[in-house]
Amino acid sequence: MDHSQLITEALSALRPHRAGDRLFGDVASVLVTEAGHHYRGVCIDTPCGTGFCAEHAAVAAMVTAGEYRIAEIVAVWRDEAGRPHVLPPCGRCREFLRRIDDANLDTRVVLGRTRSAPLRDLLPAHAWPEPLEG
């Protein structure tokens, strides 16, 4: 499957803005819900750790619209030379996506133009553990 169109959409949402030593909007994310709606978000980096990833912003827009199930998600960034990169979600984002709805374990996480994986593969120990025996 070619993810070029979704990657291009995410790249169009990049709006890097420097404020002092912080950089906002240099990572963008687009998610597609099961209903086919697209939601965008960008990262916000703050000096006190209260910022959030682009995936969080996209999920917040989705939840604000009353949706919870994600079919596909991508995050992108451009390096100093302007070259685009697809970024896998960090561990915090992986768990966040999963917690919004259990069905999101099947979300396709875009990892490149022709690469993706279900969220469950990026969270291999996602099931609640069985009690210890003995």
Side-chain angles (χ1 to χ4, degrees), residues 2-134:
D2 187 351
H3 305 290
S4 295
Q5 187 173 7
L6 193 62
I7 291 169
T8 298
E9 182 180 348
L11 288 168
S12 74
L14 289 172
R15 304 270 189 287
H17 172 74
R18 186 160 300 281
D21 65 344
R22 307 319 264 177
L23 187 58
F24 307 126
D26 66 321
V27 176
S29 179
V30 173
L31 66 79
V32 182
T33 64
E34 284 188 352
H37 298 117
H38 291 222
Y39 296 96
R40 297 177 176 189
V42 297
C43 68
I44 304 231
D45 185 21
T46 61
C48 58
T50 59
F52 48 84
C53 296
E55 294 92 335
H56 282 221
V59 167
M62 173 189 71
V63 170
T64 298
E67 294 191 74
Y68 303 92
R69 292 190 175 179
I70 305 165
E72 189 173 24
I73 190 166
V74 66
V76 298
W77 168 75
R78 286 191 187 275
D79 65 20
E80 296 78 23
R83 295 174 299 209
H85 297 262
V86 171
L87 303 177
C90 70
R92 182 174 177 238
C93 285
R94 293 173 195 201
E95 184 65 19
F96 185 70
L97 296 170
R98 177 229 196 286
R99 295 295 174 180
I100 297 300
D101 190 290
D102 285 340
N104 290 340
L105 283 169
D106 296 321
T107 296
R108 300 296 311 169
V109 178
V110 174
L111 301 169
R113 290 199 191 281
T114 58
R115 288 182 40 223
S116 65
L119 180 61
R120 73 175 59 255
D121 288 358
L122 303 179
L123 282 172
H126 61 270
W128 192 255
E130 295 293 322
L132 293 173
E133 297 296 323

